[in-house]
Amino acid sequence: MTAHQNLQTAFDPSEALNQPPALEDYNLFTTDRALMQAAEVNGAGWAKDRLTAYGARLGSAETIEQGRLAHRFPPQLKLFDRFGHRRDEVEFHPAWHNIMRLIIGEGLHSTPWAEPKPGAHVARAAAYVMHAQIEPGSQCPTTMTYGSVPPLKRDETIAKDWLPKIYSRDYDPANKPIGQKTGALIGMGMTEKQGGSDVRSNTTRAEPIASSSGREYIITGHKWFFSAPQCDAHLVLAQAPGGLSCFFVPRWRPDGSPNPVRIQRLKDKVGNKSNASSEVEFHGAWGWLLGDEGRGVPTIIEMGTYTRLDCALGSAGLLRGAVSQAVHHVFHRRAFQRHLIDQPLMTNVVADLALESEAATMLALRLARAFDRSDSDAQEAAFRRLCTPAVKYWVCKRAPNAVVEAMEVHGGNGYVDEGPMGMLYKEIPLNSIWEGSGNVMCLDVLRALQKSPDALDVFFAELAPVRGNDRRLDAAVASLQDEFTDLAGIEQRARRVVEKMMTVLQAALLVQHSPAAVADAFCASRLDGDWGHAFGTLPGGVDFRAIAERARPVA
């Protein structure tokens, strides 16, 4: 054999060396110690077997591939059929329907309402965190359906016909009148071109029509963001004679004819590619008044409270997905004769990311517990009102930087869209924007404090069990209390105040429920100021390896 032939034999360009295996065929629940702990301490320990089964299904190579395909092949708008008849339908890749069958079959759109029990919202929250890591687009119609139930339950006419279909675990994508379907999904249409979050500036009109119920209206106007137009009905804001009101607008009129809600186009979003978001016009569409005229915002905000919870849960899930990928990568990839996890600076980076993820998970599931208990516990109700916008703000605001850092851990491979990091990177800004952006959330926290001054006492009572356990936490609580001694200019420093509230609450939860290594590192970095301005700047003395090992996605 010649030297040239020897060289050819030694060099095989098709062999990929030092490439980590794909993170697949693993259980998203049993490999997430923080999530398991959060579910247990917040009252959903009874759901362990169910969550374990769902975690296995989500982590299978088959489900991961379905999620990738749904994201890779976005929905297509079909305005007309081949004869020119109006269709106003959205066509999806088969993978989308497979993922929707999975999430609806698990009941994430309705289980706390259809099968109520203590801890039902927490159990659903844990499943939601896992699902976000695989295919988050499908969570949009799921979340809106979940949030629609409380306002719909208040209307006996709508509830009688629609709630049984909403509670169903059958995913039925057919565009048919509700009486012909085995399941139903609900969407939302609030914002218009001219107003955005300022929904009171809406121009869409609703005129009452003669009916025995006195609740039927004809709606004319538009929506700039009409989420999930494939849903069977939407909650819509419009100006009635008595002011801004909320209407239930189905795809089909009661007489069985199509309701004239005309899709104009689908949004070309940065991420969330698998899901359809649209612009629509109402050409005399039929709608049913929910609540009273002039009470549209309080009616639809009840739905929005639940969707805000899901924004926090979704971001916690996306963050966990990114951290799982990063930690998996460093335990397999080698550089300079060592695995990346054995490189001290890289260990600092992934440990820091793991702290951020565990704190987000603990915080989001604590909020879900308040949703379980708010109907029977006044303190939990006050906690929910105050902390829903705060948690939504903080988790959704922190997660994007962490996901970017997790992408960088992979080097160039992380920036290639074939892998999972591209989807996570493009999805992660979304929850901070939808259902109220950062400033809106922080101002809502101030409104909650103004309307319910006792909510602040409830918040500090939440911290009482850990007082005296950590000097850094005690100092942070005292500093936070000082923020409320002088309320002058508090609107201008609302972000600062909410940040302090949530960081202190995260620390308290970690001190109570997480290993000492995690709680100590969080308090040292996030509370004591011994931290830089980027991830990977944890101080010396931290048990970096233990924190990274805890976050590793292996059972």
Side-chain angles (χ1 to χ4, degrees):
M1 184 177 291
T2 66
H4 180 67
Q5 288 173 324
N6 279 330
L7 183 60
Q8 285 184 315
T9 302
F11 174 65
D12 182 359
S14 66
E15 186 177 11
L17 300 175
N18 196 27
Q19 289 287 354
L23 180 55
E24 59 188 23
D25 291 326
Y26 72 112
N27 191 306
L28 272 72
F29 187 63
T30 59
T31 62
D32 189 345
R33 295 155 190 83
L35 183 62
M36 293 179 69
Q37 180 74 3
E40 175 72 30
V41 301
N42 287 296
W46 55 266
K48 181 178 179 180
D49 290 345
R50 193 176 92 190
L51 292 169
T52 297
Y54 196 53
R57 293 185 68 188
L58 288 170
S60 70
E62 179 184 3
T63 302
I64 291 171
E65 176 63 7
Q66 291 296 299
R68 186 191 70 82
L69 291 171
H71 180 78
R72 179 67 68 181
F73 298 99
Q76 302 294 315
L77 177 59
K78 302 296 180 182
L79 290 178
F80 303 95
D81 67 15
R82 65 193 181 95
F83 300 107
H85 302 127
R86 191 88 193 195
R87 283 182 60 187
D88 287 296
E89 293 188 33
V90 182
E91 291 185 353
F92 291 86
H93 189 275
W96 165 267
H97 295 299
N98 292 335
I99 292 291
M100 287 300 299
R101 287 187 190 94
L102 179 65
I103 195 170
I104 300 303
E106 188 63 20
L108 299 195
H109 66 302
S110 67
T111 301
W113 317 117
E115 304 169 24
K117 64 171 66 176
H121 287 283
V122 173
R124 175 194 175 273
Y128 197 93
V129 167
M130 291 189 290
H131 192 98
Q133 301 170 47
I134 305 302
E135 207 301 293
S138 53
Q139 293 180 301
C140 178
T142 302
T143 283
M144 292 186 295
T145 303
Y146 165 66
S148 74
V149 173
L152 295 184
K153 287 173 68 174
R154 300 182 190 280
D155 191 295
E156 292 183 3
T157 301
I158 298 299
K160 175 172 63 70
D161 293 333
W162 283 82
L163 287 186
K165 302 298 174 74
I166 290 172
Y167 290 167
S168 168
R169 292 199 186 193
D170 288 336
Y171 169 61
D172 184 353
N175 181 15
K176 296 178 180 178
I178 189 62
Q180 301 175 29
K181 298 198 61 173
T182 59
L185 297 174
I186 309 298
M188 180 192 296
M190 294 177 64
T191 60
E192 298 180 3
K193 297 174 185 176
Q194 73 284 348
S197 296
D198 182 12
V199 294
R200 296 191 185 278
S201 68
N202 283 5
T203 60
T204 296
R205 310 298 304 179
E207 298 296 335
I209 57 177
S211 65
S212 59
S213 66
R215 307 193 74 79
E216 297 182 54
Y217 289 69
I218 294 298
I219 299 172
T220 304
H222 82 282
K223 291 298 167 187
W224 186 237
F225 276 92
F226 193 73
S227 293
Q230 72 274 14
C231 287
D232 298 287
H234 291 76
L235 270 62
V236 171
L237 291 179
Q239 299 286 359
L244 189 65
S245 307
C246 182
F247 297 89
F248 183 80
V249 181
R251 291 182 78 180
W252 294 81
R253 294 185 179 116
D255 64 6
S257 61
N259 210 6
V261 180
R262 306 299 191 205
I263 304 175
Q264 301 304 298
R265 62 175 175 173
L266 299 184
K267 296 289 192 182
D268 185 11
K269 297 167 292 184
V270 172
N272 199 247
K273 292 294 189 179
S274 64
N275 176 50
S277 304
S278 65
E279 301 166 22
V280 301
E281 292 179 355
F282 305 104
H283 291 259
W286 182 90
W288 180 273
L289 176 65
L290 294 176
D292 298 327
E293 279 195 5
R295 297 287 297 167
V297 171
T299 300
I300 207 166
I301 281 298
E302 185 173 21
M303 178 182 183
T305 298
Y306 289 86
T307 59
R308 287 174 176 181
L309 166 66
D310 276 5
C311 284
L313 293 168
S315 287
L318 293 167
L319 175 54
R320 168 59 187 174
V323 171
S324 293
Q325 294 290 339
V327 175
H328 174 77
H329 181 83
V330 300
F331 272 93
H332 288 90
R333 181 80 165 182
R334 294 181 63 87
F336 309 110
Q337 292 79 52
R338 288 188 292 178
H339 283 101
L340 291 178
I341 189 60
D342 296 321
Q343 308 279 359
L345 186 53
M346 181 61 79
T347 312
N348 194 322
V349 170
V350 295
D352 211 352
L353 291 172
L355 287 182
E356 195 71 29
S357 178
E358 181 154 349
T361 297
M362 283 291 183
L363 183 63
L365 264 70
R366 170 59 187 96
L367 178 61
R369 188 177 93 200
F371 280 72
D372 270 317
R373 302 180 180 182
S374 59
D375 287 343
S376 58
D377 187 323
Q379 286 195 317
E380 290 287 348
F383 182 90
R384 188 184 90 157
R385 175 65 186 92
L386 177 65
C387 288
T388 297
V391 173
K392 195 265 192 191
Y393 167 76
W394 186 237
V395 174
C396 297
K397 188 63 66 178
R398 291 289 301 167
N401 283 347
V403 171
V404 170
E405 191 70 56
M407 174 183 274
E408 187 175 322
V409 167
H410 295 77
N413 285 351
Y415 200 64
V416 175
D417 220 6
E418 286 178 288
M421 292 307 304
M423 181 277 288
L424 296 168
Y425 171 76
K426 288 181 282 189
E427 189 78 18
I428 196 62
L430 180 60
N431 287 321
S432 189
I433 297 169
W434 277 8
E435 306 304 329
S437 57
N439 284 356
V440 173
M441 291 299 95
C442 291
L443 294 176
D444 201 23
V445 172
L446 298 187
R447 279 190 291 270
L449 290 172
Q450 291 166 356
K451 291 182 178 180
S452 305
D454 61 322
L456 192 59
D457 294 332
V458 170
F459 179 83
F460 282 109
E462 182 78 12
L463 308 175
V466 295
R467 294 295 294 271
N469 287 354
D470 188 291
R471 62 165 183 79
R472 298 160 300 190
L473 179 53
D474 289 345
V477 172
S479 176
L480 175 61
Q481 289 172 324
D482 290 343
E483 292 285 352
F484 297 101
T485 58
D486 181 6
L487 299 182
I490 195 169
E491 181 175 331
Q492 195 167 53
R493 52 190 173 90
R495 286 193 176 210
R496 170 190 172 91
V497 171
V498 173
E499 175 178 329
K500 280 190 170 186
M501 290 174 65
M502 292 298 97
T503 308
V504 166
L505 180 54
Q506 285 179 315
L509 293 169
L510 295 178
V511 167
Q512 284 180 285
H513 304 303
S514 295
V518 173
D520 178 69
F522 189 90
C523 290
S525 56
R526 274 63 168 178
L527 299 184
D528 208 29
D530 198 355
W531 197 36
H533 296 286
F535 289 101
T537 55
L538 293 174
V542 166
D543 194 342
F544 303 102
R545 186 66 179 236
I547 297 170
E549 290 278 4
R550 176 171 168 79
R552 190 178 181 185
V554 295

